[in-house]
Short mmCIF file of all heavy atoms in Angstrom, two decimals:
data_model
loop_
_atom_site.label_atom_id
_atom_site.label_comp_id
_atom_site.label_asym_id
_atom_site.label_seq_id
_atom_site.Cartn_x
_atom_site.Cartn_y
_atom_site.Cartn_z
N GLY A 10 7.21 -24.09 -12.67
CA GLY A 10 7.15 -23.90 -11.20
C GLY A 10 7.61 -22.55 -10.76
O GLY A 10 7.01 -21.95 -9.83
N ALA A 11 8.77 -22.03 -11.30
CA ALA A 11 9.19 -20.78 -10.95
C ALA A 11 8.25 -19.73 -11.30
O ALA A 11 8.01 -18.69 -10.52
CB ALA A 11 10.60 -20.49 -11.58
N ALA A 12 7.51 -19.78 -12.46
CA ALA A 12 6.60 -18.78 -12.85
C ALA A 12 5.42 -18.85 -11.95
O ALA A 12 4.85 -17.72 -11.61
CB ALA A 12 6.11 -19.05 -14.31
N ALA A 13 4.95 -19.97 -11.61
CA ALA A 13 3.78 -20.12 -10.66
C ALA A 13 4.14 -19.52 -9.28
O ALA A 13 3.36 -18.90 -8.68
CB ALA A 13 3.45 -21.56 -10.53
N PHE A 14 5.36 -19.82 -8.80
CA PHE A 14 5.75 -19.29 -7.54
C PHE A 14 5.81 -17.77 -7.57
O PHE A 14 5.38 -17.10 -6.66
CB PHE A 14 7.06 -19.85 -7.05
CG PHE A 14 7.47 -19.40 -5.66
CD1 PHE A 14 6.93 -19.99 -4.52
CD2 PHE A 14 8.37 -18.42 -5.48
CE1 PHE A 14 7.28 -19.61 -3.33
CE2 PHE A 14 8.76 -17.99 -4.27
CZ PHE A 14 8.15 -18.55 -3.12
N THR A 15 6.36 -17.22 -8.59
CA THR A 15 6.51 -15.73 -8.77
C THR A 15 5.10 -15.22 -8.97
O THR A 15 4.80 -14.07 -8.33
CB THR A 15 7.31 -15.42 -9.97
OG1 THR A 15 8.58 -16.12 -9.84
CG2 THR A 15 7.54 -13.92 -10.12
N GLY A 16 4.16 -15.82 -9.55
CA GLY A 16 2.77 -15.36 -9.69
C GLY A 16 2.13 -15.34 -8.37
O GLY A 16 1.33 -14.43 -8.05
N ALA A 17 2.39 -16.42 -7.55
CA ALA A 17 1.72 -16.40 -6.19
C ALA A 17 2.35 -15.37 -5.31
O ALA A 17 1.57 -14.69 -4.47
CB ALA A 17 2.07 -17.81 -5.57
N VAL A 18 3.55 -15.07 -5.40
CA VAL A 18 4.16 -13.93 -4.68
C VAL A 18 3.54 -12.65 -5.06
O VAL A 18 3.21 -11.70 -4.24
CB VAL A 18 5.73 -13.89 -4.81
CG1 VAL A 18 6.31 -12.56 -4.31
CG2 VAL A 18 6.27 -15.17 -4.06
N ALA A 19 3.34 -12.39 -6.34
CA ALA A 19 2.76 -11.16 -6.88
C ALA A 19 1.31 -11.02 -6.39
O ALA A 19 0.93 -9.94 -5.86
CB ALA A 19 2.80 -11.19 -8.47
N ALA A 20 0.53 -12.09 -6.44
CA ALA A 20 -0.77 -12.01 -6.00
C ALA A 20 -0.88 -11.73 -4.46
O ALA A 20 -1.65 -10.90 -3.92
CB ALA A 20 -1.49 -13.31 -6.29
N ALA A 21 -0.06 -12.43 -3.67
CA ALA A 21 0.04 -12.16 -2.24
C ALA A 21 0.42 -10.73 -1.88
O ALA A 21 -0.13 -10.11 -0.99
CB ALA A 21 0.95 -13.19 -1.56
N ALA A 22 1.42 -10.23 -2.54
CA ALA A 22 1.86 -8.87 -2.26
C ALA A 22 0.81 -7.85 -2.78
O ALA A 22 0.56 -6.95 -1.97
CB ALA A 22 3.17 -8.64 -3.04
N ALA A 23 0.14 -8.06 -3.78
CA ALA A 23 -0.87 -7.25 -4.24
C ALA A 23 -2.00 -7.17 -3.31
O ALA A 23 -2.57 -6.16 -2.91
CB ALA A 23 -1.41 -7.56 -5.59
N VAL A 24 -2.48 -8.29 -2.79
CA VAL A 24 -3.56 -8.44 -1.89
C VAL A 24 -3.23 -7.86 -0.58
O VAL A 24 -4.08 -7.04 -0.04
CB VAL A 24 -4.00 -9.96 -1.68
CG1 VAL A 24 -4.92 -10.12 -0.48
CG2 VAL A 24 -4.65 -10.44 -2.96
N ALA A 25 -2.01 -7.98 -0.09
CA ALA A 25 -1.59 -7.42 1.15
C ALA A 25 -1.59 -5.85 1.04
O ALA A 25 -2.04 -5.15 1.88
CB ALA A 25 -0.22 -7.84 1.50
N ALA A 26 -1.07 -5.29 -0.04
CA ALA A 26 -1.11 -3.87 -0.29
C ALA A 26 -2.51 -3.29 -0.32
O ALA A 26 -2.73 -2.24 0.21
CB ALA A 26 -0.27 -3.50 -1.56
N ILE A 27 -3.39 -3.98 -1.06
CA ILE A 27 -4.77 -3.55 -1.18
C ILE A 27 -5.52 -3.59 0.25
O ILE A 27 -6.22 -2.68 0.55
CB ILE A 27 -5.52 -4.34 -2.22
CG1 ILE A 27 -4.92 -4.02 -3.55
CG2 ILE A 27 -7.02 -4.05 -2.15
CD1 ILE A 27 -5.32 -4.96 -4.66
N TYR A 28 -5.24 -4.65 0.96
CA TYR A 28 -5.90 -4.76 2.24
C TYR A 28 -5.30 -3.74 3.27
O TYR A 28 -6.11 -3.12 3.97
CB TYR A 28 -5.58 -6.22 2.79
CG TYR A 28 -6.11 -6.41 4.21
CD1 TYR A 28 -7.49 -6.60 4.40
CD2 TYR A 28 -5.23 -6.36 5.26
CE1 TYR A 28 -8.01 -6.75 5.72
CE2 TYR A 28 -5.77 -6.51 6.57
CZ TYR A 28 -7.14 -6.71 6.77
OH TYR A 28 -7.66 -6.88 8.04
N LEU A 29 -4.10 -3.51 3.28
CA LEU A 29 -3.50 -2.53 4.20
C LEU A 29 -3.87 -1.18 3.95
O LEU A 29 -3.84 -0.27 4.79
CB LEU A 29 -1.96 -2.67 4.19
CG LEU A 29 -1.48 -4.06 4.84
CD1 LEU A 29 0.06 -4.02 4.77
CD2 LEU A 29 -1.85 -4.09 6.26
N THR A 30 -4.25 -0.75 2.73
CA THR A 30 -4.63 0.57 2.39
C THR A 30 -6.13 0.80 2.24
O THR A 30 -6.65 1.89 1.92
CB THR A 30 -4.05 1.08 0.98
OG1 THR A 30 -4.39 0.14 -0.05
CG2 THR A 30 -2.54 1.13 1.15
N GLY A 31 -6.95 -0.33 2.53
CA GLY A 31 -8.29 -0.29 2.41
C GLY A 31 -9.01 0.57 3.53
O GLY A 31 -8.32 1.35 4.22
N SER A 32 -10.30 0.52 3.51
CA SER A 32 -11.00 1.45 4.45
C SER A 32 -10.66 1.19 5.94
O SER A 32 -10.64 2.13 6.77
CB SER A 32 -12.55 1.33 4.19
OG SER A 32 -12.90 -0.06 4.51
N SER A 33 -10.44 -0.08 6.24
CA SER A 33 -9.99 -0.36 7.65
C SER A 33 -8.61 -0.82 7.70
O SER A 33 -8.23 -1.40 8.65
CB SER A 33 -10.93 -1.46 8.17
OG SER A 33 -10.77 -2.63 7.36
N GLY A 34 -7.82 -0.34 6.77
CA GLY A 34 -6.41 -0.73 6.66
C GLY A 34 -5.45 0.02 7.66
O GLY A 34 -5.89 1.08 8.26
N ALA A 35 -4.30 -0.40 7.80
CA ALA A 35 -3.41 0.16 8.75
C ALA A 35 -2.60 1.39 8.14
O ALA A 35 -2.10 2.22 8.85
CB ALA A 35 -2.34 -0.83 9.25
N PHE A 36 -2.58 1.43 6.82
CA PHE A 36 -1.84 2.55 6.13
C PHE A 36 -2.80 3.46 5.39
O PHE A 36 -3.74 3.07 4.92
CB PHE A 36 -0.77 2.05 5.19
CG PHE A 36 0.26 1.20 5.84
CD1 PHE A 36 0.26 -0.15 5.71
CD2 PHE A 36 1.13 1.72 6.67
CE1 PHE A 36 1.20 -0.92 6.33
CE2 PHE A 36 2.06 0.97 7.37
CZ PHE A 36 2.15 -0.36 7.15
N SER A 37 -2.44 4.69 5.32
CA SER A 37 -3.23 5.73 4.55
C SER A 37 -2.48 6.23 3.43
O SER A 37 -1.28 6.42 3.60
CB SER A 37 -3.71 6.84 5.48
OG SER A 37 -4.41 7.76 4.75
N CYS A 38 -3.07 6.51 2.30
CA CYS A 38 -2.46 7.07 1.15
C CYS A 38 -2.24 8.57 1.22
O CYS A 38 -1.49 9.08 0.47
CB CYS A 38 -3.15 6.66 -0.13
SG CYS A 38 -3.12 4.98 -0.57
N PHE A 39 -2.89 9.21 2.07
CA PHE A 39 -2.84 10.72 2.30
C PHE A 39 -2.53 11.06 3.62
O PHE A 39 -2.94 10.39 4.64
CB PHE A 39 -4.03 11.44 1.75
CG PHE A 39 -5.34 10.95 2.37
CD1 PHE A 39 -5.87 11.66 3.53
CD2 PHE A 39 -6.07 9.83 1.98
CE1 PHE A 39 -6.95 11.16 4.17
CE2 PHE A 39 -7.24 9.42 2.61
CZ PHE A 39 -7.67 10.05 3.66
N PRO A 40 -1.73 12.14 3.91
CA PRO A 40 -1.33 12.48 5.17
C PRO A 40 -2.54 13.08 5.97
O PRO A 40 -3.50 13.65 5.42
CB PRO A 40 -0.28 13.53 5.04
CG PRO A 40 -0.49 14.01 3.62
CD PRO A 40 -1.07 12.98 2.87
N SER A 41 -2.50 12.95 7.31
CA SER A 41 -3.63 13.44 8.13
C SER A 41 -3.56 14.99 8.23
O SER A 41 -4.60 15.63 8.34
CB SER A 41 -3.53 12.78 9.59
OG SER A 41 -2.29 13.20 10.10
N LEU A 42 -2.40 15.55 8.19
CA LEU A 42 -2.27 17.05 8.17
C LEU A 42 -1.79 17.49 6.74
O LEU A 42 -0.92 16.77 6.12
CB LEU A 42 -1.22 17.46 9.21
CG LEU A 42 -1.61 17.18 10.70
CD1 LEU A 42 -0.39 17.48 11.55
CD2 LEU A 42 -2.83 17.86 11.10
N PRO A 43 -2.24 18.52 6.32
CA PRO A 43 -1.75 19.04 5.07
C PRO A 43 -0.23 19.43 5.10
O PRO A 43 0.15 20.13 6.05
CB PRO A 43 -2.65 20.32 4.72
CG PRO A 43 -3.45 20.64 5.90
CD PRO A 43 -3.28 19.40 6.86
N PRO A 44 0.58 18.76 4.30
CA PRO A 44 1.98 19.12 4.40
C PRO A 44 2.33 20.52 3.88
O PRO A 44 1.61 21.08 3.04
CB PRO A 44 2.59 17.99 3.50
CG PRO A 44 1.56 17.74 2.51
CD PRO A 44 0.25 17.88 3.15
N ALA A 45 3.49 21.02 4.29
CA ALA A 45 3.95 22.25 3.83
C ALA A 45 4.39 22.23 2.46
O ALA A 45 4.30 23.12 1.65
CB ALA A 45 5.08 22.78 4.75
N ALA A 46 4.92 21.09 2.01
CA ALA A 46 5.47 20.83 0.64
C ALA A 46 4.85 19.51 0.24
O ALA A 46 4.76 18.55 1.14
CB ALA A 46 6.92 20.94 0.58
N PRO A 47 4.59 19.29 -1.06
CA PRO A 47 4.10 17.98 -1.46
C PRO A 47 5.18 16.90 -1.24
O PRO A 47 6.33 17.26 -1.27
CB PRO A 47 3.80 18.23 -2.93
CG PRO A 47 4.46 19.37 -3.37
CD PRO A 47 4.65 20.23 -2.11
N ASP A 48 4.78 15.80 -1.17
CA ASP A 48 5.68 14.54 -0.99
C ASP A 48 6.51 14.52 -2.28
O ASP A 48 6.02 14.67 -3.39
CB ASP A 48 4.94 13.28 -0.83
CG ASP A 48 4.20 13.19 0.55
OD1 ASP A 48 4.66 13.86 1.45
OD2 ASP A 48 3.24 12.44 0.64
N PRO A 49 7.83 14.13 -2.18
CA PRO A 49 8.70 14.04 -3.38
C PRO A 49 8.24 12.79 -4.17
O PRO A 49 8.23 12.86 -5.39
CB PRO A 49 10.08 13.83 -2.84
CG PRO A 49 9.87 13.61 -1.36
CD PRO A 49 8.62 14.01 -0.99
N ILE A 50 7.67 11.76 -3.53
CA ILE A 50 7.18 10.62 -4.15
C ILE A 50 5.78 10.43 -3.65
O ILE A 50 5.55 10.18 -2.46
CB ILE A 50 8.02 9.33 -3.96
CG1 ILE A 50 9.40 9.53 -4.52
CG2 ILE A 50 7.32 8.17 -4.63
CD1 ILE A 50 10.35 8.37 -4.09
#
């Protein structure tokens, strides 16, 4: 039961991250303006 719940959390978190960064998602992986210095992470 604990493994199944953890797997469900992993799947939900992964789907949310993929959806939010998709083509119509709310987050973007790259900045809109070129930064002066690259991101540290």
